[in-house]
Amino acid sequence: MTAADPARLDEFRRQRFGMFIHWGVYALAARHEWVRNRERLSRDQYQPYLDRFDPDLFDPAVWARAARDAGMTYMVLTTKHHDGFCLWDSELTDYSVRSTPWGKDLVGPTADAFRREGLGVGFYHSLLDWQQPDFPIDGLHPDFERDGVDQHGRDVAHYAQYLHGQVEELLTKYAPVDTMWFDFSYRNWRDAQGRPLVGGKGAADWRSDDLISLVRRLAPQALINDRLDVDGSADFVTPEQYQPVAPVVIDGVPVTWEACQTLNGSWGYDRDNLDWKSPELLIKLLVDTVSKDGNLLLNVGPNGRGELEPRALDTLAEIGRWMRLHARSIHGAGASAFAPPRDCRYTQRGDRLYLHVFSWPFRHLHLPGLAGKVRYAQLLNDASEVRRVSHDEGAVTHPALGTTPDDLTIELPIQHPDVAV
Ligand code: JFZ
């Protein structure tokens, strides 16, 4: 299996912060992108959402600006989710924007808008497809309980051909694509009772090896994620809605990773959701991710009129307020070999060490192992000097403090600087 272009991989690792966009006709149901599955909606019961999909306020320049202002450097857009609905005018199916009142492509304009703001463009593409007649019904399919495993001649090889054809369309029509984010394989999954999931699917179904070759051929610069069920093929791995405890290492080798996270637990627009993460928590999530050498792909779910809701825009703006002053500790930064004190994270870029203080201490912070290693210290938000306290000053070396001569002790202002986090 050919590997990704190392320069592109390096760029990705420096980008650090991206926008995930989950958008489709499920935005009209406004209760999670799995609504067709969760509520066992038939194709006909789902059809009203296609019949009414008309995002009259669609203006991807607004999304792109919100992303850029938040300090994001790339985006990943759902070209097709599990419901099979295509956000572009595919030649291989009518189950797309073409069959909606809106009637036209949404992928091209979105990609263009983000490129105009200088952001990278990646495509999420669902391997599952609950619409294609050749996709075998399985335990995750909305029609499973009604139709069981009676496949009515469904032919997964034929579906794979369709899948490859669509990926080819996307990579040629919207070149250059920076990332293909495939989702997902479930060959060995178990159901809620612990029994093997009926009809689980993986590499043999998607013909993943050929799919990877296709991407390498058409988009040599594109990175491919780890959900194709091919060991060792992934350019990066994708922990979803959990944080690794340390830089991710697989078989003794550090790997490139990208955490994906929601704003509120749902990927698609979810009107009645009250479970919003605070901007402060999200900034900590970003810092924590970079401190472990990862990227953060933070999701938004535009609504049925094509807008990001105020709660999402406000959150992004607040993150941007912090990023305006602290981006240099994120972009191009990564893990440090130094161990931070309690409730802190380090990110490092070259010889610059950034100390992120999650819980503001009382005046002093003792930084293990940094004695004699720091030439100058300052706050990032206002460039004001942070003074070091030397070890011969009684108060700081008092044995009850538990500091050692290897510690560098710095003196912080009593008040937390007036910026987000
Ligand atoms: C998938 C989708 O089902 C979901 O709607 C969303 O698009 C998300 C980004 O990706 O969710 C998954 C996929 C794989 C696993 C868990 C959730 N997994 O392998 O554990």
Side-chain angles (χ1 to χ4, degrees):
M1 203 67 55
T2 49
D5 173 15
R8 164 71 190 116
L9 201 54
D10 195 57
E11 174 192 60
F12 179 68
R13 295 167 57 92
R14 281 184 280 107
Q15 287 179 316
R16 286 305 185 214
F17 191 27
M19 174 181 273
F20 213 171
I21 304 176
H22 272 69
W23 201 33
V25 295
Y26 45 75
L28 290 179
R31 48 186 195 276
H32 202 276
E33 75 283 358
W34 274 66
V35 59
R36 189 176 161 205
N37 179 293
R38 286 185 171 183
E39 300 178 14
R40 295 290 183 243
L41 303 179
S42 68
R43 198 201 144 153
D44 287 351
Q45 288 170 313
Y46 201 64
Q47 188 59 33
Y49 306 127
L50 275 83
D51 294 342
R52 287 167 184 81
F53 187 71
D54 192 14
D56 61 318
L57 300 177
F58 172 65
D59 184 356
V62 174
W63 305 353
R65 214 170 310 118
R68 198 201 59 188
D69 290 349
M72 292 163 162
T73 53
Y74 64 102
M75 71 84 158
V76 176
L77 172 69
T78 52
T79 52
K80 177 190 86 170
H81 205 263
H82 309 332
D83 60 5
F85 177 80
C86 298
L87 271 193
W88 83 104
D89 190 6
S90 172
E91 285 155 32
L92 302 178
T93 182
D94 283 339
Y95 205 67
S96 77
V97 282
R98 189 189 303 159
S99 304
T100 67
W102 175 258
K104 39 190 192 287
D105 184 21
L106 290 166
V107 171
T110 305
D112 289 346
F114 277 78
R115 288 187 184 122
R116 266 197 295 276
E117 291 288 350
L119 279 80
V121 170
F123 289 159
Y124 169 108
H125 196 73
S126 176
L127 300 168
L128 288 71
D129 193 314
W130 298 328
Q131 167 60 25
Q132 281 306 301
D134 271 317
F135 186 89
I137 293 178
D138 57 36
L140 291 184
H141 198 291
D143 298 338
F144 177 58
E145 272 146 37
R146 194 175 41 251
D147 297 351
V149 283
D150 184 357
Q151 301 300 351
H152 305 292
R154 286 167 182 257
D155 176 2
V156 77
H158 207 239
Y159 170 68
Q161 223 171 18
Y162 170 80
L163 170 67
H164 292 211
Q166 287 212 308
V167 169
E168 179 162 356
E169 252 187 23
L170 287 168
L171 293 178
T172 42
K173 228 172 150 173
Y174 305 111
V177 175
D178 302 312
T179 300
M180 282 308 297
W181 215 104
F182 292 107
D183 194 36
F184 58 93
S185 299
Y186 48 109
R187 187 161 44 91
N188 294 317
W189 277 29
R190 307 203 150 252
D191 67 16
Q193 283 74 44
R195 294 170 307 217
L197 186 84
V198 174
K201 293 182 176 57
D205 302 291
W206 325 127
R207 284 204 288 115
S208 293
D209 289 337
D210 294 342
L211 191 52
I212 293 167
S213 306
L214 178 76
V215 176
R216 295 287 188 235
R217 180 162 56 79
L218 295 176
Q221 77 292 340
L223 301 184
I224 306 173
N225 73 338
D226 63 340
R227 296 186 179 192
L228 281 168
D229 184 35
V230 182
D231 276 354
S233 72
D235 298 320
F236 64 97
V237 302
T238 56
E240 175 171 333
Q241 301 212 64
Y242 68 87
Q243 277 303 91
V245 294
V248 180
V249 174
I250 296 179
D251 295 333
V253 184
V255 298
T256 301
W257 64 277
E258 179 194 62
C260 50
Q261 299 279 357
T262 59
L263 289 177
N264 59 22
S266 176
W267 302 92
Y269 177 62
D270 194 14
R271 183 193 59 204
D272 299 340
N273 188 306
L274 297 174
D275 206 9
W276 286 72
K277 299 180 181 82
S278 69
E280 178 178 335
L281 178 72
L282 293 165
I283 292 165
K284 286 178 174 168
L285 209 50
L286 175 62
V287 166
D288 184 69
T289 301
V290 176
S291 81
K292 296 167 182 168
D293 255 342
N295 284 24
L296 176 64
L297 187 61
L298 184 61
N299 182 74
V300 296
N303 65 26
R305 295 191 70 180
E307 285 203 312
L308 296 178
E309 62 194 302
R311 289 178 294 194
L313 287 172
D314 290 349
T315 300
L316 292 176
E318 192 70 13
I319 294 172
R321 205 160 84 87
W322 184 85
M323 281 294 274
R324 190 176 72 83
L325 300 173
H326 301 90
R328 71 176 82 155
S329 70
I330 300 294
H331 299 145
S336 169
F338 295 106
R342 185 187 298 269
D343 293 329
C344 296
R345 299 291 184 279
Y346 282 136
T347 61
Q348 193 172 334
R349 194 168 45 83
D351 65 358
R352 298 299 169 102
L353 182 65
Y354 299 97
L355 168 68
H356 302 263
V357 183
F358 285 2
S359 173
W360 200 250
F362 179 70
R363 284 190 69 210
H364 295 117
L365 255 182
H366 310 288
L367 312 179
L370 285 189
K373 301 227 162 96
V374 176
R375 273 201 304 273
Y376 189 79
Q378 60 187 161
L379 295 184
L380 195 44
N381 65 296
D382 65 355
S384 62
E385 182 176 12
V386 171
R387 303 215 297 174
R388 280 161 289 179
V389 182
S390 79
H391 263 271
D392 42 340
E393 285 176 38
V396 175
T397 53
H398 190 285
L401 283 171
T403 61
T404 77
D406 288 342
D407 290 351
L408 169 67
T409 296
I410 57 174
E411 190 173 276
L412 295 170
I414 291 286
Q415 302 297 337
H416 183 284
D418 180 25
V419 286
V421 171

